[in-house]
Amino acid sequence: MLLTLTTTHRPATDLGYLLVKHPDRMHEFDLPAGTAHVFYPEATDQRCTAALLVEVDPQRLGVGRGRRGRPMSTTESFTLGQYVNDRGYAASSLLSSALSTAFRSALRGASKDRPELAGTAIPLTVRVPVLRCRGGAELAVRMFAPLGWTVTATPLPLDEQHPEWGDSRYLDLMITGTVRLADALNHLYVLLPVLDDAKHYWVAPDEIDKLLRAGAGWLADHPERALITRRYLAHQRALAGEALSRLAQLRLSDVPAPDDSVDEDSTPAEGSGSRTDPRRASLAVRRREAVLATLAASGATRVLDLGCGGGALLTALLADRRYTEVVGTDVSVQALAQAARRLRLDRLPQRQQDRVRLWQSALTYRDDRLRGYDAAVLMEVVEHLDPSRLPALEDAVLGHARPGTVVVTTPNAEYNVRYEGLSAGGFRHPDHRFEWTRAEFAEWVDRIATTYGYTATIGGVGDHDPEVGCPTQLAVLTAVGKAVATATPSTAGNAKEAGR
């Protein structure tokens, strides 16, 4: 899928400063479902075009699944629709995710080199050659025209050789206007998946803040705000109702929408620190911040990320100089390759490369390489194992590797009733083998701590619900004789810790 941004502002090559992407270079970004490329087909003082090309890897996207294996909110109704679809070719929420990853600073309206220009409306032309639009060209006009865009939406024929077959569901969309680049990108971030109406990932309550953040300054007054909200939130009535209520309050009070939340599927900008307010960030960010705070409190300098997946936690660990050695392990070679791309290992200075290692390893088998480390993290890992395999993991990690501190996070099954659309008794991820209640998790933590000579504290991550607790459970196991470290409530959300 392809999107191009063109400007005739003079000098037009200032677009590179606004996007924080040099026109003379090819830029590549790893995505959960593929790879994004940013390049410039033309770059002169008179005219400059930046192109975002997204290559979807079907294996990483998953057959009939969205990112991380979650069911896609697809509108396909035919029997093979979950297996045969257009996700790799037509613009959709996959393209929105790529926008948030590749143009993170530009979406925020931040430009270190051209701060005044970032706040100035400039002539822009945006083209999306293939966009599935549920509602046709007329709906595309209704979405973009109220925002000041001149819209050209050309239906694509089903077959150019057979015009009698009529038009397809796809459009060649071009919008032209004089707007701030940040506004243009936020319009696209929201409206592309709205027009497609088939998000590729599970829509959770934190999507409301994402919508309000990207829609700040325009969504509350948009004549189609109700339709935009319903589609963006995958037609989940409870979420849409809350979002529309908050938009109504914004219209009355003129209070700005949240602007400090982070997209959980975006990679932090290279060299940037985490300044996210943990009370407002997505659950994934809050969970990661809680783990980082716990590791910092433990005094660890050599850390294992067991079941590291695509490397989100590894990226944060490597950015912190206190960690002299960071090891990521995963049973999946593909996941390790994704982590390497995310860390940009091939571009790191040698001294940075020397601090990080990626090893293929199964957590149910003893691995001598993992012995002697200060701390180990099992972040959203244990629930992916069959319960019968847990004793093997316990022996391999706590018995054989025996790090000084072990940090474990896992979903709180009781909290699942707060997720709209999650069926009763269902799991948050199709690969989960179980999800524990708070009592079940506490019983497991007590048992393994006693068996292997650790003390333990248990807390939570995320907003605390008086009836069902926090969405994520967190345990910190500390080897007997080592100072106890706990995650602070300010980092872990409204955590309620209890010594065990």
Side-chain angles (χ1 to χ4, degrees), residues 4-16 18 42 44-50 121-126 177 179 181:
T4 60
L5 290 160
T6 301
T7 185
T8 53
H9 163 82
R10 300 289 184 91
T13 49
D14 277 353
L15 183 62
L18 295 179
E42 56 181 341
T44 68
D45 286 348
Q46 292 74 37
R47 182 181 172 92
C48 186
T49 298
I122 62 174
L124 285 170
T125 297
V126 181
V179 297
L181 177 64

Side-chain angles (χ1 to χ4, degrees), residues 62-378:
V63 176
R65 297 286 178 182
R67 62 186 175 188
R68 300 181 185 174
R70 289 169 177 162
M72 290 169 55
S73 301
T74 180
T75 57
E76 301 290 4
S77 58
F78 64 96
T79 305
L80 295 179
Q82 60 178 322
Y83 302 102
V84 181
N85 57 62
D86 58 6
R87 299 297 82 183
Y89 312 99
S92 65
S93 54
L94 286 164
L95 187 56
S96 286
S97 293
L99 279 171
S100 69
T101 299
F103 302 140
R104 172 186 292 270
S105 297
L107 274 161
R108 295 199 307 265
S111 174
K112 180 179 68 176
D113 298 298
R114 297 290 189 274
E116 293 183 2
L117 185 58
T120 303
I122 62 174
L124 285 170
T125 297
V126 181
R127 186 181 177 198
V128 183
V130 182
L131 168 66
R132 186 169 77 165
C133 184
R134 187 165 175 255
E138 184 267 339
L139 181 62
V141 174
R142 284 164 48 198
M143 291 292 140
F144 285 101
L147 301 173
W149 294 100
T150 299
V151 185
T152 303
T154 306
L156 299 176
L158 278 172
D159 191 320
E160 293 179 352
Q161 303 300 318
H162 297 278
E164 69 275 11
W165 291 358
D167 295 330
S168 69
R169 70 185 72 181
Y170 302 97
L171 301 176
D172 180 347
L173 176 70
M174 184 169 68
I175 55 175
T176 304
T178 301
V179 297
R180 288 195 320 141
L181 177 64
D183 292 335
L185 293 175
N186 279 289
H187 296 165
L188 294 165
Y189 178 82
V190 172
L191 296 179
L192 289 179
V194 166
L195 292 172
D196 176 55
D197 198 20
K199 278 205 166 182
H200 72 283
Y201 60 89
W202 179 265
V203 174
D206 61 354
E207 290 289 304
I208 296 175
D209 278 343
K210 292 182 187 180
L211 174 62
L212 297 184
R213 182 181 71 249
W218 62 271
L219 180 57
D221 294 318
H222 197 292
E224 300 291 344
R225 59 185 171 275
L227 177 60
I228 293 170
T229 300
R230 287 197 302 271
R231 286 195 174 193
Y232 186 88
L233 297 172
H235 300 276
Q236 296 192 31
R237 292 184 180 180
L239 298 185
E242 180 181 345
L244 288 170
S245 175
R246 291 172 63 178
L247 283 172
Q249 293 173 8
L250 290 173
R251 296 183 73 196
L252 292 173
S253 62
D254 199 29
V255 175
D259 195 35
D260 58 352
S261 181
V262 175
D263 187 338
E264 64 183 272
D265 298 299
S266 297
T267 305
E270 188 174 10
S272 68
S274 176
R275 295 179 175 85
T276 307
D277 181 347
R279 294 168 299 175
R280 294 187 180 182
S282 68
L283 180 58
V285 171
R286 297 169 74 172
R287 182 165 51 234
R288 191 158 58 244
E289 295 291 345
V291 169
L292 291 170
T294 301
L295 292 173
S298 75
T301 59
R302 302 174 66 240
V303 178
L304 300 167
D305 183 5
L306 304 176
C308 65
L313 179 62
L314 290 175
T315 303
L317 291 171
L318 191 60
D320 193 328
R321 294 182 179 179
R322 83 183 75 201
Y323 301 111
T324 59
E325 185 178 355
V326 177
V327 176
T329 76
D330 204 284
V331 72
S332 168
V333 174
Q334 188 178 53
L336 293 174
Q338 182 180 350
R341 289 192 297 269
R342 187 168 196 163
L343 292 167
R344 298 173 183 169
L345 281 183
D346 58 338
R347 304 181 191 177
L348 291 178
Q350 189 60 48
R351 66 181 183 278
Q352 291 287 74
Q353 292 186 30
D354 292 341
R355 291 174 56 215
V356 63
R357 291 170 176 77
L358 299 176
W359 295 334
Q360 184 183 19
S361 184
L363 296 180
T364 52
Y365 294 91
R366 293 187 171 198
D367 189 335
D368 289 340
R369 296 175 298 175
L370 305 183
R371 302 189 72 176
Y373 283 84
D374 300 329
V377 178
L378 291 162

Side-chain angles (χ1 to χ4, degrees), residues 385-453:
L385 272 68
D386 290 317
S388 62
R389 301 294 289 162
L390 284 176
L393 176 142
E394 299 159 10
D395 174 72
V397 175
L398 299 171
H400 187 69
R402 194 167 178 77
T405 300
V406 179
V407 185
V408 182
T409 74
T410 193
N412 169 18
E414 296 168 75
Y415 196 90
N416 288 352
V417 297
R418 298 294 185 253
Y419 287 112
E420 183 77 17
L422 189 61
S423 60
F427 295 155
R428 299 184 200 176
H429 191 292
D431 189 52
H432 286 182
R433 302 301 193 263
F434 62 86
E435 289 179 3
W436 277 321
T437 64
R438 287 171 289 174
E440 290 168 336
F441 182 59
E443 181 181 358
W444 179 73
V445 171
D446 285 340
R447 180 180 61 77
I448 62 174
T450 301
T451 301
Y452 293 99

